[in-house]
Amino acid sequence: MKQTFNLIATAAAGLEAVVGREIKDLGIERQVENGRVRFQGDITTVAQTNLWLRAADRIKIVVGEFPARTFEELFQGVFALDWENYLPLGAKFPVAKAKCVRSKLHNEPSVQAITKKAIVKKLQSYFHRPEGVPLQETGAEFRIEISIHKNQAMVMIDTTGESLFKRGYRTDKGGAPIKENMAAAIIMLSNWYPDKPFIDPTCGSGTFCIEAAMIGMNIAPGFNRDFAFEAWPWVDKELVEAVREEADSKANYDIELDIMGTDIDSRMIEVAKNNALEAGLADVIKLKQMRLQDLKTDKINGVIISNPPYGERLLDDKAVDILYNEMGQTFAPLRTWSKFILTSDENFEQKYGTVADKKRKLYNGTLRVDLYQYFGQRVKRSEM
């Protein structure tokens, strides 16, 4: 079986650079592209990136790339790949996804079917199985995906399984939650460090607070879940366990963090508490029911991150206008605090009352949103 792989980490639009920086911090050379980051490595690299990447969606092995302008070219291109170095006899290998963009081949079900047919023929030839006799797919699953962009095909195997945003700590998510990996990315895009106070005044199910605590304590986000590649028979289970043990040894469970989440909805505070408990962080995060306009603090140099309910999420337009205005008035006295607010409302700054220092375009699922960034006036305690 393969020893080294061409790999990609997929990412939501706008978060590629964050994922690229994470991979670089793992000591891995990488190339940032639209929607993904390319890198190379062995099965240890696959384990490390699945365990540690906070902002990525999935880690995929790139089996091969080739031109595919016709179905025959697609078939021959897939057939030519070294599937015997990935798929053992008996493996399940569904072609689970096909995506065609700006290409002559655009019928995605047909692309899936031909890709599957080519892999079957290659394995029948390699394992000396007669044509017409189906391969028995009773073993571990290797989920195959194919993307054709501008007539160039890329064939991949997903190593992750359920998306990396599924950390495993959400007992309930409430209405319209932010994904865990986007929350982590926004925290990493902010100027928050573990020695600063952190507040989410519209915390909902507690995702920002939990992700901040995991970052602050250097807890690998994938530590409490399994990945698809771990079931593959040629993967060294002891090696993967060693990567997990190393990740656990790097966590700093003794660091003191000042993280608080508040929400006007008492039911959501209970959800957030249950999620924090599931994450093992119930004693790290302070969670309480409170109106946003009651937020006051004498602490300095803190960071506020908020994903408030906006037009497409939960509140009507009038309620949203009132909320944004209250945010502006409530946050104004907190001169030394930086504020990072995520919303799809293009008139947010007008309603909030202040023009942002910086604005970053992101996507919450398919919804275009902006991260409005207001940087605090940095002061020393002796100046207060």
Side-chain angles (χ1 to χ4, degrees):
M1 294 298 173
K2 281 277 192 180
Q3 298 300 310
T4 59
F5 310 97
N6 293 319
L7 300 162
I8 59 170
T10 59
L15 300 184
E16 300 94 340
V18 178
V19 174
R21 188 174 69 200
E22 288 192 275
I23 293 173
K24 183 181 179 182
D25 288 344
L26 290 172
I28 303 168
E29 291 291 325
R30 80 283 183 265
Q31 180 182 340
V32 178
E33 301 178 357
N34 287 337
R36 64 193 180 208
V37 182
R38 290 182 184 262
F39 57 106
Q40 293 182 320
D42 55 14
I43 203 66
T44 298
T45 311
V46 171
Q48 287 174 330
T49 48
N50 272 294
L51 272 172
W52 279 106
L53 295 187
R54 300 181 191 277
D57 289 323
R58 295 179 182 277
I59 309 301
K60 301 177 184 180
I61 294 171
V62 179
V63 182
E65 299 176 75
F66 51 87
R69 299 175 187 85
T70 67
F71 286 124
E72 178 62 21
E73 203 169 25
L74 171 64
F75 182 93
Q76 295 300 335
V78 174
F79 181 82
L81 299 177
D82 59 337
W83 291 105
E84 67 276 11
N85 289 323
Y86 299 94
L87 306 179
L89 185 63
K92 295 177 190 172
F93 52 99
V95 181
K97 184 178 180 182
K99 184 177 182 182
C100 303
V101 179
R102 298 169 66 185
S103 298
K104 290 184 177 180
L105 298 180
H106 53 80
N107 186 314
E108 293 173 351
S110 295
V111 168
Q112 286 175 280
I114 289 169
T115 300
K116 177 75 174 187
K117 183 178 179 181
I119 300 170
V120 168
K121 187 172 181 180
K122 181 62 173 281
L123 293 179
Q124 284 175 329
S125 173
Y126 181 80
F127 291 117
H128 307 292
R129 293 297 187 269
E131 287 191 35
V133 178
L135 293 172
Q136 296 299 311
E137 298 186 34
T138 57
E141 182 173 85
F142 294 73
R143 187 176 183 271
I144 295 165
E145 300 180 7
I146 178 164
S147 167
I148 306 178
H149 182 252
K150 294 182 179 178
N151 302 314
Q152 185 74 10
M154 177 188 290
V155 186
M156 300 155 284
I157 302 174
D158 174 35
T159 75
T160 299
E162 286 197 308
S163 178
L164 290 175
F165 80 81
K166 294 191 176 181
R167 316 285 205 227
Y169 60 72
R170 269 188 176 164
T171 60
D172 190 0
K173 57 188 180 181
I178 190 168
K179 288 182 178 179
E180 292 91 321
N181 55 352
M182 173 168 269
I186 289 170
I187 295 166
M188 290 187 284
L189 286 169
S190 78
N191 58 358
W192 181 73
Y193 289 92
D195 62 343
K196 292 182 177 183
F198 179 101
I199 296 176
D200 178 358
T202 56
C203 73
S205 59
T207 305
F208 275 120
C209 293
I210 294 170
E211 291 296 321
M214 292 175 71
I215 291 171
M217 301 178 85
N218 200 37
I219 298 171
F223 187 78
N224 287 319
R225 57 160 289 178
D226 297 321
F227 304 99
F229 78 92
E230 294 181 77
W232 298 350
W234 50 265
V235 169
D236 185 338
K237 307 301 186 289
E238 291 184 2
L239 183 151
V240 176
E241 187 58 32
V243 174
R244 286 186 178 276
E245 289 176 0
E246 182 186 17
D248 190 34
S249 71
K250 291 181 176 179
N252 182 358
Y253 297 107
D254 297 324
I255 189 172
E256 297 218 358
L257 300 173
D258 186 353
I259 297 174
M260 183 173 74
T262 67
D263 200 285
I264 195 171
D265 187 340
S266 60
R267 189 186 71 84
M268 290 312 303
I269 289 296
E270 289 306 309
V271 169
K273 286 180 177 179
N274 289 334
N275 289 342
L277 182 65
E278 186 68 23
L281 299 168
D283 58 344
V284 177
I285 302 167
K286 303 179 190 73
L287 294 162
K288 65 178 181 178
Q289 180 190 11
M290 190 174 75
R291 297 190 312 161
L292 181 143
Q293 52 268 55
D294 291 334
L295 176 63
K296 294 178 177 62
T297 180
D298 294 327
K299 297 172 183 175
I300 63 170
N301 300 331
V303 171
I304 291 171
I305 297 183
S306 174
N307 177 36
Y310 35 84
E312 290 81 357
R313 298 174 63 246
L314 309 178
L315 295 184
D316 60 41
D317 290 344
K318 184 175 181 181
V320 167
D321 292 352
I322 294 171
L323 175 64
Y324 291 163
N325 182 260
E326 288 174 344
M327 288 182 103
Q329 294 181 41
T330 302
F331 296 165
L334 306 177
R335 294 182 301 104
T336 71
W337 284 65
S338 295
K339 302 97 180 177
F340 299 84
I341 303 162
L342 189 72
T343 177
S344 66
D345 192 328
E346 295 180 359
N347 296 315
F348 170 77
E349 291 163 307
Q350 179 183 347
K351 298 169 184 177
Y352 181 79
T354 310
V355 175
D357 296 312
K358 190 176 179 181
K359 187 168 72 170
R360 188 183 187 105
K361 180 174 71 173
L362 299 171
Y363 285 86
N364 189 5
T366 58
L367 178 65
R368 154 74 190 271
V369 293
D370 288 297
L371 181 63
Y372 292 87
Q373 304 171 57
Y374 298 86
F375 302 114
Q377 301 172 16
R378 183 74 179 176
V379 297
K380 297 178 181 177
R381 292 188 179 278
S382 58
E383 297 174 0
M384 295 296 289

